[in-house]
Amino acid sequence: MQNKKERVLFAREDIAYRIREMGIEISEYYKGNEIVVISLLRGSFIFTSDLVREIKSPVEVDFMTTASYGDEEVSSGMVNILQDIRTDIKNRDVLIVDDIIDTGNTLSKVIEHLSKKQPKSIKICVMLDKPSRRKVDLQPDFSGFVIPDVFIVGYGLNYGNYYRNIPYIFTFE
Ligand code: IMP
Ligand code: MG
């Protein structure tokens, strides 16, 4: 745990409001067609649970666990798939949901992995986008907030093993 002061970037209400908007955007995009939502654990579990409840299309939810080798704070570029999905996604519309896109290494590795299962489409949805840190050419199709290069915690995002349960998004000053 930290003794540093917190600076709140997005309050609980800001997040809820934005997710309702994203739900509308995603629902309009898929026009009532079924979606397989693939949530990347552990960071996106809270975002996913809020987001899917704002989507009007029929949704099947599955989970995948990825880990970057080494310290989670600095992406090493090496991404390991610790647990795969169980759903058959062949010819289906897949929406990958993650907490944050930083370098983009995680999502590009996940896309490469899921593409082999021959889905009809793959789109990316993230709560936060840190475009200044990108190392691969990848843009999210749906994103909640664009943020500068600061380390974020709360709302599913961790520092050490803590803070995922904090209901707002903040940084340490
Ligand atoms: P990427 O592979 O560099 O895009 O980063 C992916 C993962 O790194 C995210 O899913 C997070 O788990 C973690 N991450 C990146 N930036 C932050 C942050 O600011 N706070 C907490 N975790 C982060
Ligand atoms: Mg993550």
Side-chain angles (χ1 to χ4, degrees):
M1 299 298 225
Q2 290 267 39
N3 294 320
K4 289 181 210 158
K5 213 168 164 286
E6 290 181 9
R7 184 161 60 89
V8 177
L9 299 186
F10 303 104
R12 205 170 178 163
E13 306 75 56
D14 303 332
I15 298 170
Y17 187 87
R18 183 67 190 116
I19 289 178
R20 273 196 294 277
E21 291 181 333
M22 294 174 85
I24 292 168
E25 211 183 312
I26 291 167
S27 303
E28 283 174 356
Y29 178 80
Y30 287 100
K31 299 185 182 75
N33 292 318
E34 196 178 303
I35 316 168
V36 184
V37 165
I38 299 180
S39 170
L40 305 189
L41 295 174
R42 289 181 271 185
S44 76
F45 79 112
I46 290 181
F47 175 44
T48 303
S49 69
D50 284 341
L51 182 72
V52 292
R53 284 177 286 177
E54 301 295 339
I55 297 177
K56 304 281 175 265
S57 300
V59 165
E60 182 169 348
V61 184
D62 204 341
F63 299 91
M64 223 173 126
T65 306
T66 61
S68 2
Y69 293 138
D71 192 340
E72 275 226 52
E73 256 181 273
V74 264
S75 178
S76 56
M78 301 283 283
V79 179
N80 204 0
I81 292 165
L82 301 181
Q83 193 194 291
D84 203 353
I85 52 167
R86 288 190 287 168
T87 311
D88 183 4
I89 58 169
K90 192 167 180 180
N91 297 323
R92 300 178 72 188
D93 291 310
V94 166
L95 182 64
I96 304 170
V97 175
D98 205 1
D99 49 0
I100 184 166
I101 179 166
D102 186 27
T103 63
N105 287 325
T106 304
L107 280 164
S108 69
K109 179 75 192 285
V110 168
I111 290 170
E112 188 188 305
H113 172 79
L114 294 177
S115 297
K116 293 182 191 139
K117 300 176 190 280
Q118 302 173 300
K120 183 157 98 192
S121 69
I122 298 183
K123 297 283 169 193
I124 299 168
C125 177
V126 293
M127 186 65 217
L128 300 165
D129 181 9
K130 254 190 225 178
S132 59
R133 299 244 317 155
R134 206 76 91 249
K135 294 217 174 75
V136 294
D137 182 20
L138 188 64
Q139 302 312 323
D141 300 283
F142 306 96
S143 104
F145 302 109
V146 174
I147 55 164
D149 182 12
V150 282
F151 192 77
I152 300 298
V153 239
Y155 198 69
L157 291 129
N158 66 311
Y159 174 68
N161 286 316
Y162 296 99
Y163 307 107
R164 292 194 199 273
N165 60 316
I166 305 301
Y168 49 88
I169 293 170
F170 69 99
T171 185
F172 290 108
E173 286 186 334

